[in-house]
């Protein structure tokens, strides 16, 4: 890994910028203002088909493009979070290494592991000794 700021593609920089801008209150206020202006302009255009088509087409196009931009940002954030958590799991002697790639497991295996943690939480709430979990990947889920 190089020192300093890593290089990112244009699309990555653009997607992150759009995601940040889209989440700002001023962006919401601006979008709401556009809707209000469009609604106010209705009488001037006779509430016609073209008047309706303008807002429908505009919002559809923006929504369609935003899905891809936000998904890109979400994928990157999720991947970075997984890497950070994997690092913490791998470096901690009290954790199970089998948890490192949970995102790759099927739903049944995830539910099995979730069940183990739910049992541990329930035992803690009831003041019982928690169910001992296998450490450092020595046992597979459910084993």
């Amino acid at each position: 890994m190089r020192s300093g700021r890593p290089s990112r593609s244009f699309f990555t920089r653009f997607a992150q910028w759009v995601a940040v801008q889209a989440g700002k209150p001023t962006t919401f206020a601006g979008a709401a203002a556009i809707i209000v202006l469009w609604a106010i302009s209705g009488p001037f255009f006779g509430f016609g088909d073209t008047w309706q088509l303008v807002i429908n087409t505009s919002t559809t196009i923006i929504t369609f493009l935003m899905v891809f931009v936000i998904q890109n940002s979400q994928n990157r954030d999720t991947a970075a979070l997984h890497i950070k958590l994997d690092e913490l799991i791998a470096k901690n002697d009290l954790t199970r290494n089998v948890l490192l790639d949970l995102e790759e497991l099927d739903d049944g295996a995830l539910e099995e592991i979730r069940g183990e943690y739910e049992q541990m939480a329930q035992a803690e709430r009831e003041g019982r000794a928690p169910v001992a979990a296998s450490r450092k990947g020595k046992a597979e889920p459910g084993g």
Side-chain angles (χ1 to χ4, degrees), residues 89-98 134-138:
I89 292 168
K91 296 296 181 185
N92 187 335
D93 290 336
L94 300 176
T95 59
R96 295 185 289 172
N97 285 341
V98 72
S134 304
R135 299 294 178 204
K136 282 314 245 178
K138 292 181 176 128

Side-chain angles (χ1 to χ4, degrees), residues 107-108 113:
D107 291 342
I113 294 170

Side-chain angles (χ1 to χ4, degrees), residues 59-79:
T59 56
T60 300
I61 290 170
I62 291 168
T63 301
F64 179 75
L65 295 175
M66 285 298 291
V67 165
F68 297 104
V69 168
I70 292 172
Q71 188 63 52
N72 175 271
S73 293
Q74 184 65 43
N75 289 348
R76 292 178 53 73
D77 289 347
T78 301

Side-chain angles (χ1 to χ4, degrees), residues 1-14 16 76:
M1 181 178 289
R2 299 183 338 225
S3 61
R5 189 172 188 102
S7 64
R8 299 174 298 160
S9 71
F10 171 76
F11 182 75
T12 297
R13 291 191 314 271
F14 174 74
Q16 289 176 328
R76 292 178 53 73

Side-chain angles (χ1 to χ4, degrees), residues 8 32 45 51-52 74 77 86 101 104 108 114 127-128 133:
R8 299 174 298 160
F45 294 100
W51 173 78
Q52 292 179 25
Q74 184 65 43
D77 289 347
D86 288 348
D101 66 348
E104 302 299 327
R114 182 190 316 268
R128 295 183 284 126

Side-chain angles (χ1 to χ4, degrees), residues 9-133:
S9 71
F10 171 76
F11 182 75
T12 297
R13 291 191 314 271
F14 174 74
Q16 289 176 328
W17 180 83
V18 169
V20 167
Q21 299 307 312
K24 291 185 176 182
T26 53
T27 304
F28 174 80
I34 289 171
I35 298 299
V36 169
L37 290 173
W38 169 79
I40 291 171
S41 72
F44 300 107
F45 294 100
F47 297 102
D49 291 343
T50 302
W51 173 78
Q52 292 179 25
L53 188 61
V54 165
I55 198 71
N56 289 342
T57 303
S58 300
T59 56
T60 300
I61 290 170
I62 291 168
T63 301
F64 179 75
L65 295 175
M66 285 298 291
V67 165
F68 297 104
V69 168
I70 292 172
Q71 188 63 52
N72 175 271
S73 293
Q74 184 65 43
N75 289 348
R76 292 178 53 73
D77 289 347
T78 301
L81 184 61
H82 281 280
I83 292 167
K84 291 173 183 179
L85 290 173
D86 288 348
E87 177 71 6
L88 292 173
I89 292 168
K91 296 296 181 185
N92 187 335
D93 290 336
L94 300 176
T95 59
R96 295 185 289 172
N97 285 341
V98 72
L99 301 177
L100 285 170
D101 66 348
L102 286 181
E103 64 276 8
E104 302 299 327
L105 299 179
D106 63 24
D107 291 342
L110 287 174
E111 286 303 316
E112 190 175 325
I113 294 170
R114 182 190 316 268
E116 291 177 23
Y117 284 102
E118 287 173 353
Q119 288 175 357
M120 291 169 65
Q122 185 65 34
E124 186 70 27
R125 280 192 291 274
E126 295 172 356
R128 295 183 284 126
V131 177

